[in-house]
Amino acid sequence: MTEPKPTEFIQTPSQTVGPFYGFALPYERGPELVPGRHPHAIRLHGTVTDGAGDPVPDAILELWQADETGAISREQGALDRDGFTFTGFGRAAVDQAGHFTFTTVKPGSVGGGAPYIVVTVFARGLIHHLFTRAYFPEDAEAHRRDAVLGAVPPARRATLVCVADGHPGGTPSYRFDVRLQGADETVFLDFDA
Amino acid sequence: MTMKDHTSQSEINDEMRAIEAEARARVDDGGAPELHPRRNYPPYRSSILRHPTHELVRVDPEEVELFSPAFGHTDVNVLESDLTIQHRGEPLGERMTVSGRVLDGEGRPVRRQLIEIWQANAGGRYVHKRDQHPAPLDPNFTGVGRVITGENGEYSFTTIKPGPYPWRNHLNAWRPAHIHFSLFGTAFTQRLITQMYFPGDPLFALDPIYQSITDPAARARLVGTYDHDLSVPEWSLGYNWDIVLTGPKATWMESEEAHD
């Protein structure tokens, strides 16, 4: 067999997740990267809205992040929820009001940078998923040195930073709304530059 | 949910042909073919209010994005790759296998990673509660499968061929038969959700989701190949479909394999 040329490995195109993933992609306790009783649990929640400002009732989001110390989990079993192992991955479908809720921990700094969570958005109508990042409002100092935030027009940076919105039941809560279009359209990232 | 749109198929066809002609003209002028679908593809009505209107911000992935969740055999039972054995009886439909490999942009196998699939039954009906298509549910078919890729990036599912189904994008809109695939690479930047189609489907030319990929060669990468060698005598028909993920960039520099 001849050695395949690099040009033969052209990426497979994306297609929409569609509306009917509900019996397939969500998995048990997928939105709980840590159990709610974890001493450092935080809530990360928000609403996905479209260009008319209406909630998107059929979006599904994934989180991928470092642990509290900034370590990236290499634990197998990222879909497992044994109650103790932090695998850094979570998945949550929105409800009818376009709202999602994750329970996780705030990631530590990786390599000295500003902490953030990778957020991926899928939905009917999104033919290609969208990547973004959720940063934390208390890290403003580190944000000034962050390469990704630095690449974003200043007026749009705030869309990448969660809003602290209280401590329901003693758990720190952060709101991260995802606006697919509109005046405060969320900044989405292309890692393939 | 989806608003009923009374646009005719021929009007949708005209919109799709115009976009493809414009895309072809750009390639003829020396532009790169578009490997992925247009995010804003008005013939697919749901994309109109949901695509970002700003250019995506191009950034270099950092360490977090260059890793991916580690899936393993504790996540997936080996029986989950066979969608025909999940109930007491056999599902109705054309039994088949879909096999292939998951590769990265350098042609290297993506090993021990998760593939999730979901699909309609042979009548074109999903188990999903909001699927209103008046085709029968099959009590012996759910349409969900999972597998962990092997050492060569290989995978294989046994299932039944899904049926085409109607949707409300426009009047008399029908989706070509397809299986949804969800894939992870070694870097989170390689994450991919897509759909695999079947060769020769007469609905391809009419489907705005398939046609949202404006380059014909790129669209064709979503179509599995019928492979008679994969068919099992008196049992099942075999299809092959390989999937190529992006990059990952991080390993380009440290690639052990020389390539010219």
Side-chain angles (χ1 to χ4, degrees), chain A residues 11-13 15-16 51 58 62 64 74 77 79 91 96 116 124-125 129 133 181 185 188 190, chain B residues 36 44 46 48-51 53-54 57 62 64-65 68 75 116 130 191 193-194 197 244:
Chain A
Q11 56 190 271
T12 304
Q15 292 273 267
T16 180
D58 47 21
E62 289 178 350
W64 171 238
R74 306 311 303 146
L79 301 180
R91 183 184 277 167
Q96 284 296 303
Y116 65 88
R124 176 178 65 87
H129 63 260
R133 285 180 176 186
Q181 289 182 358
E185 181 176 310
F188 298 105
D190 179 1
Chain B
H36 278 288
Y44 175 29
S46 301
I48 295 172
L49 283 175
R50 293 183 171 193
H51 72 274
T53 60
H54 290 272
V57 176
E62 292 176 79
V64 177
E65 284 100 1
S68 198
D75 291 307
E116 298 161 282
R130 290 209 293 261
R191 185 81 178 91
I193 286 185
T194 188
Y197 298 90
V244 181

mmCIF file of all heavy atoms in Angstrom, chain A residues 11-13 15-16 51 58 62 64 74 77 79 91 96 116 124-125 129 133 181 185 188 190, chain B residues 36 44 46 48-51 53-54 57 62 64-65 68 75 116 130 191 193-194 197 244:
data_model
loop_
_atom_site.group_PDB
_atom_site.id
_atom_site.type_symbol
_atom_site.label_atom_id
_atom_site.label_comp_id
_atom_site.label_asym_id
_atom_site.label_seq_id
_atom_site.Cartn_x
_atom_site.Cartn_y
_atom_site.Cartn_z
ATOM 1 N N GLN A 11 -10.545 17.193 6.968
ATOM 2 C CA GLN A 11 -11.481 16.990 8.067
ATOM 3 C C GLN A 11 -12.913 16.740 7.598
ATOM 4 O O GLN A 11 -13.351 17.248 6.575
ATOM 5 C CB GLN A 11 -11.413 18.150 9.051
ATOM 6 C CG GLN A 11 -11.651 19.499 8.443
ATOM 7 C CD GLN A 11 -11.317 20.597 9.449
ATOM 8 O OE1 GLN A 11 -12.158 21.022 10.216
ATOM 9 N NE2 GLN A 11 -10.076 21.047 9.443
ATOM 10 N N THR A 12 -13.589 15.935 8.361
ATOM 11 C CA THR A 12 -14.986 15.616 8.116
ATOM 12 C C THR A 12 -15.830 16.816 8.542
ATOM 13 O O THR A 12 -15.637 17.339 9.639
ATOM 14 C CB THR A 12 -15.375 14.376 8.941
ATOM 15 O OG1 THR A 12 -14.484 13.312 8.599
ATOM 16 C CG2 THR A 12 -16.802 13.946 8.668
ATOM 17 N N PRO A 13 -16.747 17.269 7.681
ATOM 18 C CA PRO A 13 -17.543 18.451 8.056
ATOM 19 C C PRO A 13 -18.464 18.196 9.246
ATOM 20 O O PRO A 13 -18.878 17.070 9.513
ATOM 21 C CB PRO A 13 -18.373 18.739 6.800
ATOM 22 C CG PRO A 13 -17.781 17.930 5.702
ATOM 23 C CD PRO A 13 -17.082 16.772 6.346
ATOM 24 N N GLN A 15 -22.115 18.737 11.257
ATOM 25 C CA GLN A 15 -23.553 18.885 10.994
ATOM 26 C C GLN A 15 -24.234 19.156 12.334
ATOM 27 O O GLN A 15 -23.705 18.830 13.395
ATOM 28 C CB GLN A 15 -24.138 17.625 10.350
ATOM 29 C CG GLN A 15 -23.628 17.369 8.925
ATOM 30 C CD GLN A 15 -24.444 18.082 7.857
ATOM 31 O OE1 GLN A 15 -25.376 17.538 7.295
ATOM 32 N NE2 GLN A 15 -24.091 19.332 7.579
ATOM 33 N N THR A 16 -25.427 19.712 12.255
ATOM 34 C CA THR A 16 -26.114 20.091 13.492
ATOM 35 C C THR A 16 -26.427 18.877 14.373
ATOM 36 O O THR A 16 -26.651 17.780 13.872
ATOM 37 C CB THR A 16 -27.413 20.861 13.187
ATOM 38 O OG1 THR A 16 -28.045 21.202 14.416
ATOM 39 C CG2 THR A 16 -28.386 20.035 12.353
ATOM 40 N N GLY A 51 -31.195 35.349 18.254
ATOM 41 C CA GLY A 51 -31.115 36.731 17.790
ATOM 42 C C GLY A 51 -32.358 37.556 18.058
ATOM 43 O O GLY A 51 -32.320 38.789 17.996
ATOM 44 N N ASP A 58 -33.580 24.000 22.869
ATOM 45 C CA ASP A 58 -33.027 22.701 22.479
ATOM 46 C C ASP A 58 -31.515 22.749 22.317
ATOM 47 O O ASP A 58 -30.955 22.082 21.452
ATOM 48 C CB ASP A 58 -33.707 22.178 21.208
ATOM 49 C CG ASP A 58 -33.807 23.238 20.120
ATOM 50 O OD1 ASP A 58 -33.025 24.212 20.166
ATOM 51 O OD2 ASP A 58 -34.675 23.103 19.243
ATOM 52 N N GLU A 62 -21.508 21.637 26.815
ATOM 53 C CA GLU A 62 -20.490 20.825 27.476
ATOM 54 C C GLU A 62 -19.468 21.730 28.141
ATOM 55 O O GLU A 62 -19.118 22.786 27.613
ATOM 56 C CB GLU A 62 -19.784 19.913 26.453
ATOM 57 C CG GLU A 62 -20.685 18.800 25.956
ATOM 58 C CD GLU A 62 -20.070 17.899 24.907
ATOM 59 O OE1 GLU A 62 -18.973 18.221 24.393
ATOM 60 O OE2 GLU A 62 -20.692 16.877 24.586
ATOM 61 N N TRP A 64 -15.533 21.717 29.887
ATOM 62 C CA TRP A 64 -14.257 20.990 29.976
ATOM 63 C C TRP A 64 -13.298 21.911 30.708
ATOM 64 O O TRP A 64 -13.164 23.082 30.330
ATOM 65 C CB TRP A 64 -13.748 20.618 28.577
ATOM 66 C CG TRP A 64 -12.361 20.058 28.527
ATOM 67 C CD1 TRP A 64 -11.302 20.552 27.813
ATOM 68 C CD2 TRP A 64 -11.860 18.888 29.208
ATOM 69 N NE1 TRP A 64 -10.197 19.762 28.001
ATOM 70 C CE2 TRP A 64 -10.509 18.750 28.848
ATOM 71 C CE3 TRP A 64 -12.435 17.958 30.088
ATOM 72 C CZ2 TRP A 64 -9.707 17.701 29.343
ATOM 73 C CZ3 TRP A 64 -11.639 16.922 30.573
ATOM 74 C CH2 TRP A 64 -10.302 16.801 30.195
ATOM 75 N N ARG A 74 -6.654 13.263 33.804
ATOM 76 C CA ARG A 74 -6.430 12.196 32.836
ATOM 77 C C ARG A 74 -7.151 10.929 33.293
ATOM 78 O O ARG A 74 -6.882 9.839 32.804
ATOM 79 C CB ARG A 74 -4.927 11.901 32.653
ATOM 80 C CG ARG A 74 -4.063 13.098 32.288
ATOM 81 C CD ARG A 74 -4.600 13.939 31.144
ATOM 82 N NE ARG A 74 -4.818 13.177 29.925
ATOM 83 C CZ ARG A 74 -5.808 13.425 29.062
ATOM 84 N NH1 ARG A 74 -6.669 14.389 29.296
ATOM 85 N NH2 ARG A 74 -5.951 12.706 27.982
ATOM 86 N N GLY A 77 -12.960 7.339 32.356
ATOM 87 C CA GLY A 77 -14.310 7.282 32.893
ATOM 88 C C GLY A 77 -14.919 8.657 33.037
ATOM 89 O O GLY A 77 -15.540 8.981 34.046
ATOM 90 N N LEU A 79 -17.444 9.870 31.827
ATOM 91 C CA LEU A 79 -18.905 9.881 31.952
ATOM 92 C C LEU A 79 -19.343 9.328 33.298
ATOM 93 O O LEU A 79 -20.513 9.417 33.658
ATOM 94 C CB LEU A 79 -19.541 9.043 30.833
ATOM 95 C CG LEU A 79 -19.254 9.447 29.397
ATOM 96 C CD1 LEU A 79 -19.962 8.499 28.434
ATOM 97 C CD2 LEU A 79 -19.698 10.878 29.124
ATOM 98 N N ARG A 91 -21.918 17.695 30.851
ATOM 99 C CA ARG A 91 -22.830 17.942 29.726
ATOM 100 C C ARG A 91 -24.209 18.218 30.309
ATOM 101 O O ARG A 91 -24.681 17.499 31.181
ATOM 102 C CB ARG A 91 -22.845 16.698 28.847
ATOM 103 C CG ARG A 91 -23.680 16.811 27.593
ATOM 104 C CD ARG A 91 -23.697 15.481 26.850
ATOM 105 N NE ARG A 91 -22.540 15.290 26.000
ATOM 106 C CZ ARG A 91 -22.215 14.115 25.447
ATOM 107 N NH1 ARG A 91 -22.923 13.036 25.706
ATOM 108 N NH2 ARG A 91 -21.168 14.021 24.656
ATOM 109 N N GLN A 96 -36.850 23.968 28.992
ATOM 110 C CA GLN A 96 -37.741 24.623 28.029
ATOM 111 C C GLN A 96 -37.525 26.133 27.969
ATOM 112 O O GLN A 96 -37.879 26.774 26.988
ATOM 113 C CB GLN A 96 -39.200 24.325 28.393
ATOM 114 C CG GLN A 96 -39.650 22.922 28.018
ATOM 115 C CD GLN A 96 -39.619 22.698 26.516
ATOM 116 O OE1 GLN A 96 -40.252 23.426 25.762
ATOM 117 N NE2 GLN A 96 -38.872 21.705 26.067
ATOM 118 N N TYR A 116 -10.316 29.545 33.625
ATOM 119 C CA TYR A 116 -11.500 29.576 32.764
ATOM 120 C C TYR A 116 -12.011 28.160 32.530
ATOM 121 O O TYR A 116 -11.301 27.178 32.748
ATOM 122 C CB TYR A 116 -11.192 30.249 31.411
ATOM 123 C CG TYR A 116 -10.205 29.490 30.562
ATOM 124 C CD1 TYR A 116 -10.629 28.502 29.678
ATOM 125 C CD2 TYR A 116 -8.830 29.749 30.649
ATOM 126 C CE1 TYR A 116 -9.729 27.789 28.914
ATOM 127 C CE2 TYR A 116 -7.921 29.041 29.889
ATOM 128 C CZ TYR A 116 -8.370 28.058 29.019
ATOM 129 O OH TYR A 116 -7.473 27.343 28.262
ATOM 130 N N ARG A 124 -29.983 22.701 17.607
ATOM 131 C CA ARG A 124 -30.646 22.772 16.307
ATOM 132 C C ARG A 124 -30.385 24.160 15.731
ATOM 133 O O ARG A 124 -30.427 25.153 16.455
ATOM 134 C CB ARG A 124 -32.150 22.552 16.525
ATOM 135 C CG ARG A 124 -33.023 22.674 15.310
ATOM 136 C CD ARG A 124 -34.472 22.375 15.660
ATOM 137 N NE ARG A 124 -35.042 23.346 16.575
ATOM 138 C CZ ARG A 124 -35.617 24.482 16.206
ATOM 139 N NH1 ARG A 124 -35.713 24.804 14.928
ATOM 140 N NH2 ARG A 124 -36.091 25.308 17.099
ATOM 141 N N GLY A 125 -30.103 24.257 14.464
ATOM 142 C CA GLY A 125 -29.821 25.554 13.863
ATOM 143 C C GLY A 125 -28.349 25.937 13.908
ATOM 144 O O GLY A 125 -27.912 26.775 13.127
ATOM 145 N N HIS A 129 -20.834 23.477 15.935
ATOM 146 C CA HIS A 129 -20.867 23.872 17.347
ATOM 147 C C HIS A 129 -20.079 25.159 17.571
ATOM 148 O O HIS A 129 -19.289 25.569 16.717
ATOM 149 C CB HIS A 129 -20.297 22.750 18.225
ATOM 150 C CG HIS A 129 -18.860 22.457 17.936
ATOM 151 N ND1 HIS A 129 -18.454 21.402 17.160
ATOM 152 C CD2 HIS A 129 -17.725 23.089 18.304
ATOM 153 C CE1 HIS A 129 -17.144 21.397 17.076
ATOM 154 N NE2 HIS A 129 -16.665 22.417 17.754
ATOM 155 N N ARG A 133 -15.365 30.588 26.213
ATOM 156 C CA ARG A 133 -14.731 30.373 27.519
ATOM 157 C C ARG A 133 -15.503 31.178 28.554
ATOM 158 O O ARG A 133 -15.888 32.322 28.282
ATOM 159 C CB ARG A 133 -13.279 30.867 27.533
ATOM 160 C CG ARG A 133 -12.293 29.986 26.809
ATOM 161 C CD ARG A 133 -10.921 30.624 26.939
ATOM 162 N NE ARG A 133 -9.862 29.801 26.352
ATOM 163 C CZ ARG A 133 -8.570 30.104 26.443
ATOM 164 N NH1 ARG A 133 -8.189 31.214 27.077
ATOM 165 N NH2 ARG A 133 -7.655 29.321 25.898
ATOM 166 N N GLN A 181 -26.774 35.640 19.132
ATOM 167 C CA GLN A 181 -26.755 36.848 18.305
ATOM 168 C C GLN A 181 -27.206 38.012 19.182
ATOM 169 O O GLN A 181 -27.641 37.808 20.298
ATOM 170 C CB GLN A 181 -27.769 36.753 17.152
ATOM 171 C CG GLN A 181 -27.435 35.809 16.057
ATOM 172 C CD GLN A 181 -28.495 35.840 14.948
ATOM 173 O OE1 GLN A 181 -29.493 36.552 15.034
ATOM 174 N NE2 GLN A 181 -28.264 35.053 13.918
ATOM 175 N N GLU A 185 -23.888 39.820 21.789
ATOM 176 C CA GLU A 185 -23.554 38.487 21.277
ATOM 177 C C GLU A 185 -22.280 37.961 21.942
ATOM 178 O O GLU A 185 -21.265 38.648 22.025
ATOM 179 C CB GLU A 185 -23.348 38.581 19.756
ATOM 180 C CG GLU A 185 -23.026 37.265 19.089
ATOM 181 C CD GLU A 185 -22.925 37.408 17.568
ATOM 182 O OE1 GLU A 185 -23.851 37.984 16.965
ATOM 183 O OE2 GLU A 185 -21.913 36.974 17.003
ATOM 184 N N PHE A 188 -17.426 33.990 20.395
ATOM 185 C CA PHE A 188 -17.127 32.579 20.133
ATOM 186 C C PHE A 188 -15.737 32.476 19.513
ATOM 187 O O PHE A 188 -15.300 33.374 18.795
ATOM 188 C CB PHE A 188 -18.202 31.964 19.235
ATOM 189 C CG PHE A 188 -19.564 32.002 19.881
ATOM 190 C CD1 PHE A 188 -20.526 32.916 19.467
ATOM 191 C CD2 PHE A 188 -19.863 31.157 20.948
ATOM 192 C CE1 PHE A 188 -21.775 32.974 20.083
ATOM 193 C CE2 PHE A 188 -21.113 31.214 21.570
ATOM 194 C CZ PHE A 188 -22.066 32.130 21.136
ATOM 195 N N ASP A 190 -12.428 30.521 17.600
ATOM 196 C CA ASP A 190 -11.989 29.607 16.557
ATOM 197 C C ASP A 190 -10.553 29.201 16.874
ATOM 198 O O ASP A 190 -9.645 30.026 16.810
ATOM 199 C CB ASP A 190 -12.074 30.321 15.191
ATOM 200 C CG ASP A 190 -11.604 29.442 14.052
ATOM 201 O OD1 ASP A 190 -11.221 28.280 14.296
ATOM 202 O OD2 ASP A 190 -11.609 29.926 12.907
ATOM 203 N N HIS B 36 -16.250 23.143 6.017
ATOM 204 C CA HIS B 36 -17.357 22.977 6.967
ATOM 205 C C HIS B 36 -18.604 23.678 6.428
ATOM 206 O O HIS B 36 -18.517 24.467 5.480
ATOM 207 C CB HIS B 36 -16.955 23.539 8.338
ATOM 208 C CG HIS B 36 -16.151 22.575 9.144
ATOM 209 N ND1 HIS B 36 -16.699 21.455 9.715
ATOM 210 C CD2 HIS B 36 -14.830 22.540 9.442
ATOM 211 C CE1 HIS B 36 -15.769 20.772 10.350
ATOM 212 N NE2 HIS B 36 -14.612 21.403 10.187
ATOM 213 N N TYR B 44 -31.606 26.768 5.551
ATOM 214 C CA TYR B 44 -31.882 26.047 6.803
ATOM 215 C C TYR B 44 -32.376 27.109 7.775
ATOM 216 O O TYR B 44 -31.592 27.849 8.365
ATOM 217 C CB TYR B 44 -30.613 25.361 7.288
ATOM 218 C CG TYR B 44 -30.716 24.661 8.635
ATOM 219 C CD1 TYR B 44 -31.908 24.118 9.111
ATOM 220 C CD2 TYR B 44 -29.578 24.511 9.430
ATOM 221 C CE1 TYR B 44 -31.975 23.477 10.332
ATOM 222 C CE2 TYR B 44 -29.629 23.867 10.654
ATOM 223 C CZ TYR B 44 -30.831 23.357 11.099
ATOM 224 O OH TYR B 44 -30.891 22.722 12.320
ATOM 225 N N SER B 46 -33.600 27.478 10.686
ATOM 226 C CA SER B 46 -33.217 27.606 12.099
ATOM 227 C C SER B 46 -31.846 28.254 12.283
ATOM 228 O O SER B 46 -31.502 28.666 13.381
ATOM 229 C CB SER B 46 -33.196 26.236 12.769
ATOM 230 O OG SER B 46 -34.454 25.628 12.675
ATOM 231 N N ILE B 48 -30.919 31.002 10.917
ATOM 232 C CA ILE B 48 -30.977 32.449 10.694
ATOM 233 C C ILE B 48 -30.808 33.245 11.992
ATOM 234 O O ILE B 48 -30.003 34.183 12.051
ATOM 235 C CB ILE B 48 -32.301 32.840 9.974
ATOM 236 C CG1 ILE B 48 -32.308 32.221 8.563
ATOM 237 C CG2 ILE B 48 -32.460 34.359 9.907
ATOM 238 C CD1 ILE B 48 -33.635 32.377 7.822
ATOM 239 N N LEU B 49 -31.497 32.843 13.040
ATOM 240 C CA LEU B 49 -31.410 33.584 14.307
ATOM 241 C C LEU B 49 -30.399 32.970 15.277
ATOM 242 O O LEU B 49 -30.265 33.419 16.411
ATOM 243 C CB LEU B 49 -32.786 33.636 14.981
ATOM 244 C CG LEU B 49 -33.793 34.631 14.393
ATOM 245 C CD1 LEU B 49 -35.152 34.475 15.075
ATOM 246 C CD2 LEU B 49 -33.290 36.069 14.535
ATOM 247 N N ARG B 50 -29.706 31.940 14.843
ATOM 248 C CA ARG B 50 -28.826 31.238 15.782
ATOM 249 C C ARG B 50 -27.347 31.281 15.419
ATOM 250 O O ARG B 50 -26.531 30.845 16.217
ATOM 251 C CB ARG B 50 -29.304 29.787 15.923
ATOM 252 C CG ARG B 50 -30.665 29.705 16.610
ATOM 253 C CD ARG B 50 -31.125 28.290 16.833
ATOM 254 N NE ARG B 50 -32.319 28.243 17.683
ATOM 255 C CZ ARG B 50 -32.793 27.143 18.234
ATOM 256 N NH1 ARG B 50 -32.180 25.988 18.046
ATOM 257 N NH2 ARG B 50 -33.871 27.189 18.997
ATOM 258 N N HIS B 51 -27.016 31.767 14.241
ATOM 259 C CA HIS B 51 -25.577 31.804 13.908
ATOM 260 C C HIS B 51 -24.966 33.083 14.469
ATOM 261 O O HIS B 51 -25.627 34.122 14.513
ATOM 262 C CB HIS B 51 -25.386 31.757 12.387
ATOM 263 C CG HIS B 51 -25.783 33.025 11.700
ATOM 264 N ND1 HIS B 51 -27.070 33.284 11.307
ATOM 265 C CD2 HIS B 51 -25.069 34.141 11.369
ATOM 266 C CE1 HIS B 51 -27.129 34.489 10.762
ATOM 267 N NE2 HIS B 51 -25.936 35.038 10.790
ATOM 268 N N THR B 53 -23.193 36.512 14.410
ATOM 269 C CA THR B 53 -23.071 37.504 13.341
ATOM 270 C C THR B 53 -21.667 38.095 13.303
ATOM 271 O O THR B 53 -21.257 38.644 12.290
ATOM 272 C CB THR B 53 -24.094 38.651 13.532
ATOM 273 O OG1 THR B 53 -23.836 39.277 14.786
ATOM 274 C CG2 THR B 53 -25.519 38.112 13.515
ATOM 275 N N HIS B 54 -20.937 37.992 14.422
ATOM 276 C CA HIS B 54 -19.544 38.427 14.435
ATOM 277 C C HIS B 54 -18.658 37.293 13.936
ATOM 278 O O HIS B 54 -18.988 36.122 14.110
ATOM 279 C CB HIS B 54 -19.090 38.781 15.857
ATOM 280 C CG HIS B 54 -19.714 40.032 16.390
ATOM 281 N ND1 HIS B 54 -19.169 41.275 16.187
ATOM 282 C CD2 HIS B 54 -20.831 40.227 17.129
ATOM 283 C CE1 HIS B 54 -19.917 42.189 16.778
ATOM 284 N NE2 HIS B 54 -20.940 41.583 17.351
ATOM 285 N N VAL B 57 -13.534 34.691 16.961
ATOM 286 C CA VAL B 57 -12.238 35.265 17.314
ATOM 287 C C VAL B 57 -11.193 34.150 17.264
ATOM 288 O O VAL B 57 -11.311 33.139 17.957
ATOM 289 C CB VAL B 57 -12.285 35.924 18.708
ATOM 290 C CG1 VAL B 57 -10.899 36.423 19.112
ATOM 291 C CG2 VAL B 57 -13.291 37.082 18.701
ATOM 292 N N GLU B 62 -4.974 26.769 24.367
ATOM 293 C CA GLU B 62 -4.017 26.636 25.470
ATOM 294 C C GLU B 62 -4.110 25.230 26.020
ATOM 295 O O GLU B 62 -4.808 24.382 25.465
ATOM 296 C CB GLU B 62 -4.293 27.726 26.511
ATOM 297 C CG GLU B 62 -3.943 29.098 25.940
ATOM 298 C CD GLU B 62 -4.285 30.240 26.881
ATOM 299 O OE1 GLU B 62 -3.508 30.459 27.820
ATOM 300 O OE2 GLU B 62 -5.317 30.890 26.673
ATOM 301 N N VAL B 64 -5.581 23.622 28.365
ATOM 302 C CA VAL B 64 -6.872 22.976 28.624
ATOM 303 C C VAL B 64 -7.491 22.472 27.317
ATOM 304 O O VAL B 64 -7.945 21.331 27.224
ATOM 305 C CB VAL B 64 -7.840 23.949 29.340
ATOM 306 C CG1 VAL B 64 -9.203 23.300 29.547
ATOM 307 C CG2 VAL B 64 -7.261 24.381 30.682
ATOM 308 N N GLU B 65 -7.475 23.323 26.299
ATOM 309 C CA GLU B 65 -8.092 22.934 25.023
ATOM 310 C C GLU B 65 -7.300 21.851 24.307
ATOM 311 O O GLU B 65 -7.817 21.215 23.384
ATOM 312 C CB GLU B 65 -8.231 24.147 24.102
ATOM 313 C CG GLU B 65 -9.363 25.100 24.475
ATOM 314 C CD GLU B 65 -8.894 26.320 25.238
ATOM 315 O OE1 GLU B 65 -7.664 26.437 25.464
ATOM 316 O OE2 GLU B 65 -9.739 27.149 25.630
ATOM 317 N N SER B 68 -8.280 16.410 26.250
ATOM 318 C CA SER B 68 -9.671 16.036 26.044
ATOM 319 C C SER B 68 -10.040 15.072 27.151
ATOM 320 O O SER B 68 -9.155 14.447 27.752
ATOM 321 C CB SER B 68 -9.792 15.364 24.673
ATOM 322 O OG SER B 68 -11.121 15.344 24.235
ATOM 323 N N ASP B 75 -16.888 3.574 30.949
ATOM 324 C CA ASP B 75 -17.955 4.447 30.455
ATOM 325 C C ASP B 75 -18.938 3.708 29.562
ATOM 326 O O ASP B 75 -20.086 4.102 29.443
ATOM 327 C CB ASP B 75 -17.364 5.599 29.626
ATOM 328 C CG ASP B 75 -16.585 6.584 30.467
ATOM 329 O OD1 ASP B 75 -17.142 7.075 31.448
ATOM 330 O OD2 ASP B 75 -15.417 6.847 30.141
ATOM 331 N N GLU B 116 -20.418 8.451 20.142
ATOM 332 C CA GLU B 116 -21.827 8.248 20.485
ATOM 333 C C GLU B 116 -22.622 8.405 19.185
ATOM 334 O O GLU B 116 -22.342 9.304 18.399
ATOM 335 C CB GLU B 116 -22.285 9.311 21.490
ATOM 336 C CG GLU B 116 -21.523 9.245 22.816
ATOM 337 C CD GLU B 116 -21.638 10.530 23.615
ATOM 338 O OE1 GLU B 116 -20.943 11.507 23.272
ATOM 339 O OE2 GLU B 116 -22.433 10.574 24.547
ATOM 340 N N ARG B 130 -40.412 14.780 21.547
ATOM 341 C CA ARG B 130 -40.949 15.874 20.730
ATOM 342 C C ARG B 130 -41.006 15.532 19.249
ATOM 343 O O ARG B 130 -41.400 16.364 18.441
ATOM 344 C CB ARG B 130 -40.121 17.148 20.943
ATOM 345 C CG ARG B 130 -40.305 17.748 22.325
ATOM 346 C CD ARG B 130 -40.111 19.265 22.315
ATOM 347 N NE ARG B 130 -38.741 19.646 22.026
ATOM 348 C CZ ARG B 130 -37.858 19.976 22.963
ATOM 349 N NH1 ARG B 130 -38.199 19.975 24.242
ATOM 350 N NH2 ARG B 130 -36.644 20.325 22.632
ATOM 351 N N ARG B 191 -13.315 18.354 18.960
ATOM 352 C CA ARG B 191 -14.690 17.919 19.198
ATOM 353 C C ARG B 191 -15.514 18.069 17.918
ATOM 354 O O ARG B 191 -15.429 19.100 17.236
ATOM 355 C CB ARG B 191 -15.280 18.797 20.310
ATOM 356 C CG ARG B 191 -16.674 18.419 20.778
ATOM 357 C CD ARG B 191 -16.645 17.272 21.757
ATOM 358 N NE ARG B 191 -17.993 16.970 22.228
ATOM 359 C CZ ARG B 191 -18.812 16.083 21.643
ATOM 360 N NH1 ARG B 191 -18.436 15.426 20.568
ATOM 361 N NH2 ARG B 191 -20.013 15.849 22.150
ATOM 362 N N ILE B 193 -19.509 17.009 16.188
ATOM 363 C CA ILE B 193 -20.793 16.322 16.035
ATOM 364 C C ILE B 193 -21.179 16.457 14.569
ATOM 365 O O ILE B 193 -21.097 17.547 13.990
ATOM 366 C CB ILE B 193 -21.865 16.892 16.980
ATOM 367 C CG1 ILE B 193 -21.568 16.423 18.420
ATOM 368 C CG2 ILE B 193 -23.273 16.448 16.547
ATOM 369 C CD1 ILE B 193 -22.603 16.817 19.459
ATOM 370 N N THR B 194 -21.551 15.329 13.962
ATOM 371 C CA THR B 194 -21.879 15.369 12.550
ATOM 372 C C THR B 194 -22.913 14.302 12.220
ATOM 373 O O THR B 194 -23.529 13.722 13.130
ATOM 374 C CB THR B 194 -20.581 15.250 11.706
ATOM 375 O OG1 THR B 194 -20.897 15.469 10.339
ATOM 376 C CG2 THR B 194 -19.895 13.915 11.880
ATOM 377 N N TYR B 197 -24.364 9.861 6.153
ATOM 378 C CA TYR B 197 -25.457 9.602 5.215
ATOM 379 C C TYR B 197 -25.173 8.335 4.415
ATOM 380 O O TYR B 197 -24.082 7.753 4.509
ATOM 381 C CB TYR B 197 -25.610 10.795 4.268
ATOM 382 C CG TYR B 197 -25.980 12.089 4.965
ATOM 383 C CD1 TYR B 197 -24.987 12.961 5.427
ATOM 384 C CD2 TYR B 197 -27.304 12.440 5.164
ATOM 385 C CE1 TYR B 197 -25.323 14.151 6.063
ATOM 386 C CE2 TYR B 197 -27.646 13.635 5.795
ATOM 387 C CZ TYR B 197 -26.654 14.483 6.241
ATOM 388 O OH TYR B 197 -26.983 15.656 6.867
ATOM 389 N N VAL B 244 -12.385 12.111 9.919
ATOM 390 C CA VAL B 244 -11.122 12.819 10.153
ATOM 391 C C VAL B 244 -11.408 14.071 10.987
ATOM 392 O O VAL B 244 -12.210 14.917 10.600
ATOM 393 C CB VAL B 244 -10.442 13.221 8.826
ATOM 394 C CG1 VAL B 244 -9.118 13.927 9.104
ATOM 395 C CG2 VAL B 244 -10.223 11.998 7.936
#
